Amino acid sequence: METDQNIKKAIDGLNAGTLIGLPTETVYGLAGDASNPEAVKKIFALKNRPADHPLIVHIANAHQLKDWAAELPDYVTPLIEKFWPGPLTLVCQRQSHVLDVVTGRQNTVAIRCPDHPVAQRVLQSFNGGVCAPSANPFGQLSPTTAEHVRDYFSHELDIVLDGGPCRVGIESTILDVSGTQPQILRPGMLTASDLNPHLPQPCLLPNQQNNTPRVSGQLDQHYSPRTPLHLIAREQLPDYLTKQPADQLVVLSTESLDVGNAASVILPKVPSDYAQQLYNQLHQLDAKHFTAIVVITPPETEGWAAIHDRLKRASTVSIHTNS
Ligand code: TXA
Ligand code: MG
């Protein structure tokens, strides 16, 4: 997957305060030493990311959690035993040494322990935590291959580790465990139904309380391809196609549909497989200069919730049957 030599170069780079492209199981990260303020500032500058959008600290194992988090509630232990390493980020009370530039001056810090073998090799040898937002300019599609990262940052990054296509394909589930009741802040492929059996009380869902901390993914538009993305209910498609020059459109669906002169791409019917391919497919279609990418709205069930969330944020137009 990656040579020992490249892994060593990456760790040397982190130690020297430079940024690297790092594969994780969710999406590729733009990684820098979480204890080095200059390195963290470079992440914000390179992504053009507003300073009040805090970063996730990535660690090698659960033992390192207490290096970053303070006052962890008891219910966190079974969660970590079950889901770490893996695509679950925990928002915790912070230790006082955690840099303000990492947390956006909040009293909490987001922490994740990725299970990707390349990320694990880097984190196990690097003596500390690594900040890694998705390796894309702010507001654009997250990368799920090393090539996507190189396409975004060919001039700025010397080291992009190649871990192959990401297994999960969309960003981690973010769970706020800084209060008495856990709350999902960002849906991911680990859902409330996955988490709840390991919690003393069911977690709150996004927006179930008004005091949600800032999560950049909660901006209305985010994760967008450059080509306009139109999210359309299946029943609306025939009508929609009569109003557009269909030969410049591509329709993304999970079943074969009559798309007239438009191009068509079929994605898997299983949500985890759909998520795994979604961003890669959007990256490819974005390069083809369609006037719009038309995505047929997937089912409204829990397994699709995170995919819905990302599609809604990526879309410029959303047409549903009942709204
Ligand atoms: O899967 C992932 O989580 C990927 C990979 C690379 O690990 N990373 C990722 O990072 O998606 P990023 O920066 O694109 O998204 C991190 C999210 C942001 O929406 C940010 O606002 C939120 O985490 N976040 C970070 N610290 C937080 C905090 N203390 N409280 C609430 N939200 C926080
Ligand atoms: Mg991101």
Side-chain angles (χ1 to χ4, degrees):
M1 212 173 236
E2 258 304 354
T3 61
D4 288 344
Q5 199 186 358
N6 282 348
I7 300 275
K8 180 171 182 316
K9 249 173 87 179
I11 294 163
D12 290 346
L14 290 173
N15 279 320
T18 56
L19 305 185
I20 64 163
L22 181 73
T24 83
E25 71 277 26
T26 55
V27 300
Y28 274 67
L30 179 64
D33 180 355
S35 305
N36 179 339
E38 295 313 314
V40 178
K41 282 183 207 155
K42 281 185 203 164
I43 295 178
F44 282 91
L46 189 50
K47 277 187 66 104
N48 203 10
R49 176 174 171 124
D52 62 352
H53 291 272
L55 302 176
I56 298 173
V57 177
H58 295 62
I59 55 177
N61 56 58
H63 301 295
Q64 295 179 351
L65 179 58
K66 61 180 181 335
D67 298 344
W68 300 89
E71 292 171 47
L72 286 166
D74 291 341
Y75 65 73
V76 166
T77 308
L79 274 185
I80 291 173
E81 278 172 8
K82 175 73 186 166
F83 296 107
W84 273 18
L88 176 67
T89 296
L90 299 177
V91 171
C92 309
Q93 297 291 337
R94 64 188 266 193
Q95 290 281 1
S96 55
H97 71 84
V98 184
L99 298 173
D100 278 341
V101 65
V102 172
T103 66
R105 296 188 175 276
Q106 300 191 79
N107 54 10
T108 54
V109 57
I111 306 167
R112 161 162 141 69
C113 177
D115 70 21
H116 192 290
V118 172
Q120 273 292 327
R121 279 162 76 193
V122 171
L123 291 168
Q124 282 170 19
S125 303
F126 179 69
N127 195 16
V130 157
C131 283
S134 51
N136 51 277
F138 188 67
Q140 294 192 32
L141 271 184
S142 296
T144 56
T145 65
E147 194 187 349
H148 297 156
V149 182
R150 285 192 214 101
D151 286 348
Y152 281 136
F153 299 121
S154 59
H155 300 300
E156 296 89 348
L157 287 183
D158 282 342
I159 305 162
V160 178
L161 293 177
D162 193 338
C166 297
R167 172 176 64 82
V168 178
I170 65 173
E171 301 80 357
S172 61
T173 304
I174 300 183
L175 185 70
D176 184 352
V177 298
S178 66
T180 45
Q181 194 168 5
Q183 178 174 24
I184 294 181
L185 300 181
R186 179 176 70 185
M189 294 313 285
L190 283 179
T191 64
S193 298
D194 296 320
L195 302 175
N196 284 342
H198 307 276
L199 285 167
Q201 54 179 333
C203 52
L204 296 168
L205 299 176
N207 305 322
Q208 237 173 316
Q209 267 180 352
N210 292 327
N211 60 351
T212 313
R214 285 168 289 232
V215 179
S216 71
Q218 289 185 344
L219 287 180
D220 274 352
Q221 221 189 322
H222 205 70
Y223 310 113
S224 308
R226 279 167 286 245
T227 312
L229 189 150
H230 297 174
L231 195 55
I232 306 279
R234 191 186 132 178
E235 305 79 73
Q236 299 292 333
L237 184 65
D239 184 48
Y240 172 91
L241 288 172
T242 61
K243 295 176 181 154
Q244 312 278 335
D247 56 340
Q248 292 164 37
L249 299 175
V250 57
V251 179
L252 233 87
S253 60
T254 58
E255 59 194 335
S256 154
L257 299 171
D258 181 2
V259 299
N261 290 332
S264 160
V265 170
I266 311 280
L267 283 175
K269 277 189 175 21
V270 177
S272 56
D273 296 340
Y274 186 109
Q276 201 268 330
Q277 293 180 26
L278 177 64
Y279 288 163
N280 188 34
Q281 197 55 253
L282 292 177
H283 277 283
Q284 286 182 34
L285 295 176
D286 218 8
K288 291 191 176 160
H289 307 293
F290 289 104
T291 50
I293 301 170
V294 182
V295 181
I296 302 299
T297 314
E300 295 282 347
T301 52
E302 190 194 35
W304 290 91
I307 294 166
H308 256 275
D309 173 77
R310 304 308 189 276
L311 286 174
K312 262 190 251 152
R313 290 177 205 291
S315 65
T316 34
V317 174
S318 177
I319 305 173
H320 301 282
T321 37
N322 53 1
S323 62

